[in-house]
Amino acid sequence: DTLPYSIRVLFESSVRNCDGFLVKETDAMNILDWKTKQNYVEVPFCPARVVLQDFTGIPAMVDFAAMREAVRNAGGDPVKVNPACPTDLTVDHSLQIDFSKCAIQNAPNPGGGEQKPLARLSPLKPPLRKPPPCRGHSGCRGSCGAGEAGRSSGPFSAQIENTPILCPFHLQPVPEPETVLKNQEMEFGRNRERLQFFKWSSKVFENVSIIPPETGMAHQVNLEYLSRVVFDDVKDFLHPDSVVGTDSHTTMVNGLGILGWGVGGIETEAVMLGMPLTLTLPEVVGCELTGTVSPFATSIDIVLSITKHLRQADVAGKFVEFFGSGVSQLSIADRTTIANMCPEYGAILSFFPVDNVTLKHLKHAGFDKAKLEVTEAYLKAVKLFRDYENSSREPEYSQVVQVSLSSIIPYVSGPKRSQDRVAVNNMKSDFQACLNEKSGVKGFQIAAEKQNDIVPVQYEGNEYKLSHGCVVIAAVISCTNNCNPSVMLAAGLLAKKAVEAGLVVKPYIRTSLSPGSGMVTHYLSSSGVLPYLSKLGFEVVGYGCSTCVGNMAPLPEAIRNAIKQGDIIACGVLSGTKNFEGRLCDCVRANYLASPPLVVAYAIAGTVRIDFDMEPLGTGFNGKSIYLRDIWPTRQELHTVEEECVISSMFKELKEKMEKGNKRWNLLEAPESTLFPWDLKSTYIRCPSFFDKLAKEAAPPQAVENAHVLLFLGDSVTTDHISPAGSIARSSAAAKYLTSKGLTPREFNSYGARRGNDAVMTRGTFANIKLLNKFIGKPAPKTVHFPSGQTLDVFEAAELYQKEGIPVIILAGKKYGLGSSRDWAAKGPFLLGVKAVLAESYEKVHRSQLIGIGIAPLQFRPGENPSTLGLTGREQFSILFPPDLSPRMTLDIKTSTGKVFSVIALFENNMEITLYKNGGSLNFVARRFL
């Protein structure tokens, strides 16, 4: 009764899976004794299922295909190589925004009255006065009788059938917007090889399900479609749903009372092969929510406020569990939004136990009555149900953090890090301070005399003026809000009032609307707000991760040139999760995370240097100044629309369409052979080299002798700095490789799309333009090859070291590997020849990934770092690993200058040491088949 609910789930798993080998009785007893054993013992956890998304899922499936081949070559049966637990892979990261703001002929006039030309739509015909409501939507079968062509009309219509757009006036299906269809056509064209490989995987591997492109984002599909809450797959047997995924935002399902978190692709593959995760029994921080939410505070505001509180509480590497009177005021959508941002405050997971609010949501989501009754009875029987009306006995937590919901006001986050919150009413002054501050985590160091510079630019026949703080990217993305209708509907209602007031968005601003799934489009459409968003340029571009991961079309050339020539601090505003500098576009240096309605507001204003209380957004009809308060929707308006538009039928219809797939996917051909027929000419799918030295027995750990330092890095090096992501720069090593294969820059695609090709990914490792290597002294993906003294691309230097037979290591500061979980942040350095990383501290998941690929994570002793030890990084380092290696053992390192110092081998448990001795988890699990 005193155990935190999240620990109870671990306990249930250990009891159910106890086999005396992988899970022992002592493991269950240790979990039961959590209060005294936390932070001291390691315990196994067997998740019920695995969720992959395509960027991180394709290397996992490629590794499985390669493992089949390696097992066959070593005399084993390749057919036995299958995931041991249900594995769902969602193809959601392939989308790129090639088309946006398409021309729309005779667009409907939702506001009524005289329609005025909109500069951003560029209609091919003059706009009509008082047009019929459905002109331009020939498929609408409503009372207007505009046409009977249905979804078969138009050159692209009826090819994608998973997400219906409804006529906002008659709520009848109409053809997909041209923007969506064009982006889908491009997506299937450029990713055909990858999609064929995914389809092969779904045919030959047992326990593998592929969710095809354009269905939705992995986080949202996991929440709306894959989540069981209680598993009943085995007849007459029930157990809690739990999940691990290759995306750090897998934690989103914690809001449904499902224990789950993101791990590396390497650990995920081990789980897929039936091995338990091993974790040190964590501390559990109880986050008590009290008070009442402000009418103007959105889920994003709540998320960012809680993020700040939990960061200050130092919850890294811990479980967070929410309780208190404020929890019952939060909808499931609010909870999943909070849980989705869990990686940003460093916790392993953020758990909301199942309660009456959860059951009410499940009823709306299409759970039948019998399933709900069994779910409730089971959870109450095993004490996993939270009753806030009867909370006389609270669990005992390691510590308690209190957050008053009443104190939360609207915030944005930026300009470079998600934890740097800025109150909206302080945005103008804070951006001014950023211009003044020295270059760093917030500052841009712009000289005072240049802070008011204005750069005129010609665009589409008109002159515009760019200045510091100008908004050039505005992206409404529902991945962080997921199925939370309130914030997306708020954006739509704000857009509706803005259009009716006569406000517009400047045409050079790269606007986009990327719904997390068809359900989001459904309620935006059925509520009648989608046309208003479209009129402001926020047109649906497709379903998948886009702007947030750098998958977007370049800014107009004239705008890029003006920004660079004037050294303008241009801004991006998005409702996503990541805003590292340069992530969206290399010329957009300030990026803010904001709620969807604020994204629309800043797009209309055209700048972040605005005080919404004192300055108007713009000028409407009749020259009237329009302020944000004039068009901000009230909570009552939101509640009314939400009740009318978000209904259980939407979930039911979406689930049916997920199961049917779409026409392009269904017609896609793929091989059915047991082994994948590798195409040696392919630049997308390549058999990796991880199993090249696979032997039946593991060799003892090899000493690292006379290693050079490949990179000398500082603090807070993120997985974005390490792992290849976003577009492939034309001057990069990866671009040179693809060019040598006969590809043009237009055919490069993105690093994420080419994660199945280790040659591309290795060349893209440490290729981030913001990488700050102390050997170079300025941001650049370069390093020094010390034997020759040359300054080279990181890959070129590593390639030379490997040819010379010289091992390499990495020196780093605090929080190495911060950010999203990415397996290529470990795989890439391994293939570059990195034998060890020596840092002051690590992000937990990344440390685990290094071990899982066979790289030793070494840590300086407390109070020591390269500076205190007098290390320049130009020395050569020798490290001896003893055969009896043990957790957190102290090792000696000797340098070529004669200096000897001690470090900590950061292995937390015996399983990690076993994996390291086997050369990583891939080789360890492969040996089990031999």
Side-chain angles (χ1 to χ4, degrees):
D1 289 332
T2 61
L3 283 180
Y5 285 79
S6 51
I7 299 299
R8 297 180 197 185
V9 178
L10 293 182
F11 179 58
E12 188 281 338
S13 174
S14 68
V15 172
R16 175 166 42 87
N17 292 288
C18 185
D19 61 0
F21 177 58
L22 292 175
V23 182
K24 301 176 182 178
E25 184 176 335
T26 53
D27 295 322
M29 293 301 103
N30 282 335
I31 297 174
L32 190 61
D33 192 22
W34 165 81
K35 187 174 181 180
T36 61
K37 297 292 179 65
Q38 57 184 288
N39 287 334
Y40 293 107
V41 299
E42 59 185 55
V43 295
F45 175 56
C46 300
R49 57 189 175 91
V50 165
V51 171
L52 309 171
Q53 45 96 331
D54 55 320
F55 268 20
T56 50
I58 192 166
M61 299 313 300
V62 166
D63 289 347
F64 261 72
M67 190 182 297
R68 277 195 164 197
E69 194 148 315
V71 167
R72 191 277 309 268
N73 294 340
D77 183 359
V79 177
K80 293 182 179 179
V81 180
N82 292 295
C85 64
T87 300
D88 301 288
L89 189 153
T90 303
V91 185
D92 72 333
H93 276 51
S94 301
L95 177 68
Q96 293 192 42
I97 304 175
D98 295 284
F99 299 95
S100 63
K101 295 184 286 190
C102 290
I104 299 177
Q105 300 184 52
N106 302 326
N109 182 17
E114 180 175 340
Q115 183 174 358
K116 298 187 178 184
L118 297 177
R120 55 190 308 99
L121 294 182
S122 304
L124 300 180
K125 296 180 180 180
L128 301 175
R129 296 174 64 88
K130 298 184 179 179
C134 289
R135 284 293 288 269
H137 288 296
S138 59
C140 175
R141 297 176 182 176
S143 59
C144 67
E148 298 297 329
R151 295 186 63 81
S152 62
S153 64
F156 298 103
S157 300
Q159 297 182 41
I160 299 293
E161 302 177 345
N162 55 305
T163 48
I165 301 294
L166 304 183
C167 165
F169 306 99
H170 303 115
L171 303 185
Q172 296 294 318
V174 299
E176 297 278 5
E178 184 182 6
T179 301
V180 176
L181 295 169
K182 284 187 174 183
N183 282 320
Q184 290 171 0
E185 189 80 25
M186 293 292 291
E187 178 178 0
F188 269 79
R190 67 159 60 95
N191 293 293
R192 178 168 296 274
E193 285 183 48
R194 298 171 62 247
L195 297 178
Q196 286 176 328
F197 174 77
F198 283 137
K199 196 155 189 180
W200 170 82
S201 299
S202 68
K203 289 181 176 182
V204 303
F205 288 115
E206 297 177 5
N207 273 338
V208 171
S209 173
I210 304 293
I211 311 297
E214 296 304 319
T215 302
M217 298 179 188
H219 323 309
Q220 192 148 353
V221 171
N222 189 16
L223 178 73
E224 297 175 12
Y225 179 62
L226 302 175
S227 295
R228 282 84 152 175
V229 183
V230 172
F231 254 85
D232 58 0
D233 289 3
V234 180
K235 186 178 179 181
D236 297 329
F237 190 77
L238 304 171
H239 64 87
D241 189 3
S242 58
V243 61
V244 291
T246 52
D247 194 289
S248 57
H249 295 279
T250 303
T251 51
M252 186 195 71
V253 295
N254 296 166
L256 267 182
I258 298 171
L259 200 72
W261 65 93
V263 296
I266 300 162
E267 301 99 308
T268 305
E269 291 173 44
V271 173
M272 290 163 66
L273 284 169
M275 294 175 57
L277 284 177
T278 301
L279 70 158
T280 301
L281 199 57
E283 294 181 40
V284 180
V285 177
C287 184
E288 183 178 15
L289 303 182
T290 60
T292 305
V293 180
S294 162
F296 291 97
T298 67
S299 296
I300 296 297
D301 301 317
I302 297 171
V303 168
L304 296 178
S305 179
I306 291 175
T307 297
K308 181 179 180 180
H309 280 87
L310 293 176
R311 271 194 177 275
Q312 292 173 342
D314 187 22
V315 298
K318 303 173 185 178
F319 284 10
V320 172
E321 186 169 300
F322 292 87
F323 73 104
S325 59
V327 175
S328 58
Q329 299 177 44
L330 303 181
S331 67
I332 291 299
D334 293 330
R335 299 177 190 189
T336 55
T337 307
I338 294 167
N340 197 46
M341 288 289 280
C342 172
E344 311 310 321
Y345 43 83
I348 298 175
L349 56 84
S350 291
F351 193 64
F352 289 85
V354 175
D355 62 2
N356 288 320
V357 175
T358 314
L359 295 179
K360 183 179 179 181
H361 170 82
L362 295 178
K363 182 179 179 180
H364 285 299
F367 275 47
D368 60 47
K369 184 178 179 181
K371 168 75 172 175
L372 281 173
E373 289 176 350
V374 169
T375 297
E376 181 177 0
Y378 167 73
L379 292 173
K380 287 182 176 178
V382 295
K383 299 187 178 180
L384 288 174
F385 187 85
R386 194 71 149 97
D387 185 358
Y388 287 102
E389 296 178 1
N390 182 21
S391 55
S392 57
R393 188 167 191 181
E394 295 287 355
E396 296 180 6
Y397 296 107
S398 306
Q399 69 180 94
V400 172
V401 175
Q402 292 184 327
V403 178
S404 172
L405 299 179
S406 306
S407 65
I408 297 174
I409 59 175
Y411 282 88
V412 296
S413 181
K416 301 180 183 181
R417 303 187 305 175
S418 59
Q419 65 264 37
D420 296 326
R421 298 193 314 151
V422 183
V424 172
N425 55 10
N426 293 332
M427 180 64 159
K428 184 175 183 179
S429 59
D430 187 83
F431 185 81
Q432 183 64 43
C434 291
L435 295 180
N436 292 324
E437 284 185 27
K438 292 182 179 180
S439 294
V441 295
K442 284 199 69 172
F444 297 104
Q445 201 169 351
I446 302 299
E449 64 273 13
K450 294 182 175 294
Q451 292 179 7
N452 294 314
D453 285 359
I454 294 177
V455 179
V457 59
Q458 290 288 329
Y459 183 70
E460 293 185 350
N462 294 309
E463 181 176 282
Y464 299 93
K465 296 179 180 180
L466 301 184
S467 59
H468 296 298
C470 62
V471 174
V472 294
I473 297 173
V476 174
I477 308 166
S478 71
C479 68
T480 55
N481 313 298
N482 296 288
C483 71
N484 190 337
S486 63
V487 287
M488 295 299 287
L489 287 173
L493 289 174
L494 188 143
K496 177 178 183 293
K497 292 186 176 185
V499 170
E500 291 173 344
L503 297 176
V504 297
V505 173
K506 295 180 177 65
Y508 60 80
I509 298 177
R510 184 69 73 195
T511 50
S512 61
L513 170 61
S514 183
S517 77
M519 194 206 74
V520 178
T521 304
H522 196 138
Y523 67 64
L524 289 177
S525 179
S526 62
S527 64
V529 300
L530 199 58
Y532 298 98
L533 285 163
S534 180
K535 279 201 169 188
L536 294 181
F538 293 95
E539 189 171 321
V540 176
V541 295
Y543 303 90
C545 292
S546 49
T547 306
C548 206
V549 293
N551 288 353
M552 57 170 286
L555 294 175
E557 194 68 24
I559 303 301
R560 288 174 59 90
N561 291 339
I563 292 172
K564 291 182 177 180
Q565 291 170 9
D567 194 25
I568 296 297
I569 306 300
C571 299
V573 187
L574 68 155
S575 59
T577 62
K578 299 290 189 300
N579 61 334
F580 299 125
E581 184 177 4
R583 184 181 178 102
L584 306 188
C585 177
D586 58 1
C587 65
V588 180
R589 293 157 64 184
N591 297 299
Y592 289 92
L593 305 182
S595 64
L598 282 176
V599 171
V600 177
Y602 279 113
I604 295 170
T607 179
V608 300
R609 298 175 82 175
I610 181 173
D611 182 340
F612 286 134
D613 291 333
M614 305 300 295
E615 301 172 63
L617 289 173
T619 303
F621 295 132
N622 303 321
K624 180 182 178 181
S625 293
I626 307 297
Y627 291 81
L628 181 60
R629 58 179 173 270
D630 298 328
I631 61 173
W632 189 271
T634 66
R635 290 184 70 85
Q636 184 57 45
E637 287 175 306
L638 287 173
H639 180 75
T640 301
V641 175
E642 189 174 348
E643 287 295 316
E644 292 176 356
C645 300
V646 185
I647 54 177
S648 59
S649 62
M650 295 181 182
F651 285 91
K652 182 178 179 180
E653 183 177 359
L654 184 62
K655 289 177 181 179
E656 290 175 354
K657 293 185 179 298
M658 284 181 176
E659 291 165 0
K660 290 179 182 178
N662 60 61
K663 187 167 290 186
R664 280 196 185 92
W665 174 260
N666 295 340
L667 294 176
L668 188 67
E669 296 182 354
E672 298 185 10
S673 54
T674 300
L675 299 178
F676 185 71
W678 306 100
D679 181 358
L680 298 181
K681 296 180 181 179
S682 174
T683 56
Y684 277 101
I685 308 294
R686 208 175 90 125
C687 188
S689 57
F690 300 122
F691 302 101
D692 287 355
K693 298 179 181 179
L694 179 65
K696 290 188 177 182
E697 299 296 332
Q702 300 296 307
V704 179
E705 297 181 354
N706 299 316
H708 272 295
V709 176
L710 180 64
L711 293 162
F712 190 0
L713 307 172
D715 297 339
S716 299
V717 173
T718 70
T719 50
D720 271 25
H721 291 112
I722 306 168
S723 180
S727 59
I728 299 173
R730 296 188 180 190
S731 60
S732 66
K736 295 173 187 176
Y737 168 80
L738 293 172
T739 301
S740 73
K741 298 294 182 181
L743 273 66
T744 64
R746 184 177 180 83
E747 300 169 309
F748 286 173
N749 210 325
S750 66
Y751 281 114
R754 295 190 182 274
R755 281 192 176 187
N757 186 323
D758 61 313
V760 172
M761 297 302 285
T762 306
R763 286 166 171 79
T765 302
F766 292 114
N768 190 299
I769 59 172
K770 297 299 179 182
L771 181 72
L772 184 56
N773 180 5
K774 294 184 180 181
F775 294 147
I776 304 301
K778 61 181 181 180
K782 301 284 185 180
T783 195
V784 176
H785 176 253
F786 288 107
S788 66
Q790 299 179 79
T791 298
L792 303 169
D793 285 340
V794 175
F795 171 79
E796 293 171 345
E799 188 177 39
L800 272 181
Y801 280 127
Q802 290 189 353
K803 288 180 179 178
E804 296 161 348
I806 300 174
V808 293
I809 65 171
I810 291 172
L811 291 182
K814 300 183 180 77
K815 298 182 181 179
Y816 180 76
L818 199 65
S820 298
S821 165
R822 292 186 176 176
D823 59 332
W824 271 105
K827 287 180 175 178
F830 174 81
L831 293 177
L832 289 174
V834 174
K835 303 300 181 184
V837 177
L838 179 53
E840 291 183 66
S841 63
Y842 293 84
E843 197 278 332
K844 183 179 178 66
V845 172
H846 185 62
R847 181 201 61 82
S848 176
Q849 287 181 328
L850 292 176
I851 297 168
I853 199 61
I855 296 176
L858 307 178
Q859 182 172 289
F860 290 103
R861 293 189 300 183
E864 294 184 348
N865 56 48
S867 178
T868 62
L869 293 171
L871 302 176
T872 66
R874 299 175 181 273
E875 308 90 344
Q876 287 181 273
F877 296 76
S878 295
I879 311 165
L880 179 65
F881 294 94
D884 59 343
L885 191 61
S886 60
R888 302 187 71 88
M889 175 180 275
T890 298
L891 304 177
D892 287 336
I893 295 182
K894 185 177 181 179
T895 71
S896 54
T897 61
K899 180 183 292 293
V900 177
F901 61 97
S902 297
V903 298
I904 301 167
L906 214 58
F907 302 102
E908 297 293 352
N909 51 60
N910 291 325
M911 176 57 78
E912 289 186 347
I913 292 174
T914 300
L915 293 180
Y916 178 71
K917 287 182 176 180
N918 275 270
S921 58
L922 290 175
N923 283 275
F924 174 75
V925 295
R927 286 190 177 96
R928 297 181 66 194
F929 292 105
L930 302 178

